[in-house]
Amino acid sequence: MSRPNERTGTRWLAAVGFGLVLVLTVILSLTPDATTYEISIYDAYPWYFWAIACLALVLGNVVIVRSASEETADWMYGLLLVGTVVGVLVFLPYFRGYAVFGRADVLSHVGYIRDIQETGAIGQRNIYPNFHLLVLSLAYVVGVDPSTMITGIAGIGSLFSIVSFLALVSTVFDRRRALLSLPFATVLVAVQSVPYVFSTLLVPFVLYLFVKERRTRTLHIRAALATTLFGIVIYHPITALFLLFIFGVYGVAQLLSDRNLLGADDGPAGSSVGAKPLSQLVVAVFAVWYLDFTTIVERFGVVVQNLAAPGGGGSPASTYSSTVSQYSPALVDLVRIALVRYGQSAILLTIGGLAALLFAGAVIWRRSGWDVSRASFVGLFTVFTGLSALFFLVDLVVGFGRPLLYAELFAALLSGSLFYALANTAVSRRTMYASLYGIVTLLVVFSTFGLYASPYSVDENQQVTRMELEGSEWYLEHRNNQVRLSEFGTDVHRYRDAIYGRESYGTRQVVTSDTAEIPPHFGYTDRETLGAGYEDDRYMVLTRAGRIFYPNLYPDYRQYWKYEQADFQRLDRDESVTQVYDNGEYDVYRVDAPDEEES
């Protein structure tokens, strides 16, 4: 039991944390909305905003850990504090006044939602209707435009994921192990409002329902599990595939337990649904829904071909290797990028690996103390870590970050058991808790500065501005459809989707473009004019995002810049180029190719 002064100290930490949250809200209120495209959301707020946010997150997690060791209910204050700060961070695009957050797939998803609004039906090419209907329903409830609602859907999913994680660990573990696991779940948040990410955030809830049904055998939990599984499969096909891995590994763990190779079990499984019928449900829903879409079938065909003949040049490993060999980046830049992008993953995978070794030792030497659920977590961590390595080495259409999210999830689920075991060894408990606080601090820093795409990770902010939407609409309404398009800093067809709908746009809004057709430095190193390099006339769209891309993402590698400020200035003096639209952020040019007589 905790001493009164220790409990008072824990609550003072929580009070300080909530005071820091108040400071964050003041800074938010005093910071004006974004008026133009900003390459990094981290530069939009002063440095101390981020320092305060990280400190508040650390304090909240310290309160949770101290509550675990003191056996008090103060963890609720810590969780509320962490949830509040996470809420502030994941909803920053909304606070910044972004028109949309997501410059690629998100805009097309907005288009699918526009289609549903316009037609009242789901389009034939809409693979992810659950996601679009959820966003549209919430938009109607809240009273905002769907493009605004989709900006915050990942934040809602992140907060729901943390609560679901808490419910899951509270069901599987004892109180202390559950609370020691919780700080590692608070970094598993996301801001990308796309179906795969959102469906992954729902996985802890599916696991909770599955474990809960195994232990209670109640009809309402069983119904909730079946309904949730049915819905989550339609969110994304890869999520469905990974769910099959989850149920498969659980089935293997149950088999090992039945043969007395693990030790404890969750209880008698005779009246429980079990992993096999749930896997059958996933396969059935997957087949009924996705096999009607030729693109899904074709992608799985590509995966099978690449697995049968690995070693192609499109894998992430080969891409990273060729990039490093071609550009020879400085070591400090490589370290910074690795820490921002993968620092969180490295820490969680290390923790998961140590927990897996702990499990192996328990099975080999004692054969006790690990029930089916916890043994499944170890197996799933191993499986998804292996899949991440496979996706990294072989081009399997999607990136290795997809299975890596699941490896991080199961590592977080195992973290509490690891630190609980360390606290009960000969190692000083004070040393263990100090190490735990240090690890949590590193996780908080890496996750905070890796949450948004920014120059820290050599990525551009995913902000979409209203001027970009207005400029895209003007171009699509006033262009000559017979003249081709080249673009830099934008994907006009994505903006077309968001404005007119993914399937509802007319023939005037058909877009074909090729960024590669804009020569480096606009061809001025070889020709006097840009138009001299083309055989036919074309439009060229440039945005602020494109103009500031190279100086902000690659400031120390000017020799590799494709365009410089001097090139943009010369473009304005180019006789073959006529500016036909400019709203201060979105420029449309008409590039005239030389006449046949002149060429």
Side-chain angles (χ1 to χ4, degrees), residues 518-525 558-564 567:
I518 305 178
H521 305 288
F522 301 114
Y524 295 139
T525 54
R558 188 169 182 175
Q559 67 272 28
Y560 299 113
W561 291 5
K562 194 174 181 180
Y563 310 105
E564 298 191 29
D567 299 324

Side-chain angles (χ1 to χ4, degrees), residues 390-403:
L390 179 64
F391 278 56
F392 181 71
L393 297 173
V394 181
D395 180 16
L396 296 178
V397 181
V398 297
F400 68 97
R402 302 289 181 100

Side-chain angles (χ1 to χ4, degrees), residues 90-137:
V90 295
F91 292 119
L92 281 181
Y94 176 78
F95 296 137
R96 294 293 299 146
Y98 291 177
V100 185
F101 185 72
R103 299 179 65 82
D105 288 353
V106 173
L107 290 172
S108 293
H109 289 302
V110 172
Y112 279 118
I113 297 170
R114 298 280 186 224
D115 293 334
I116 297 174
Q117 284 183 299
E118 292 293 327
T119 65
I122 297 171
Q124 295 183 349
R125 292 185 297 166
N126 191 339
I127 303 177
Y128 314 111
N130 277 10
F131 181 76
H132 304 138
L133 290 172
L134 174 65
V135 174
L136 185 58
S137 299

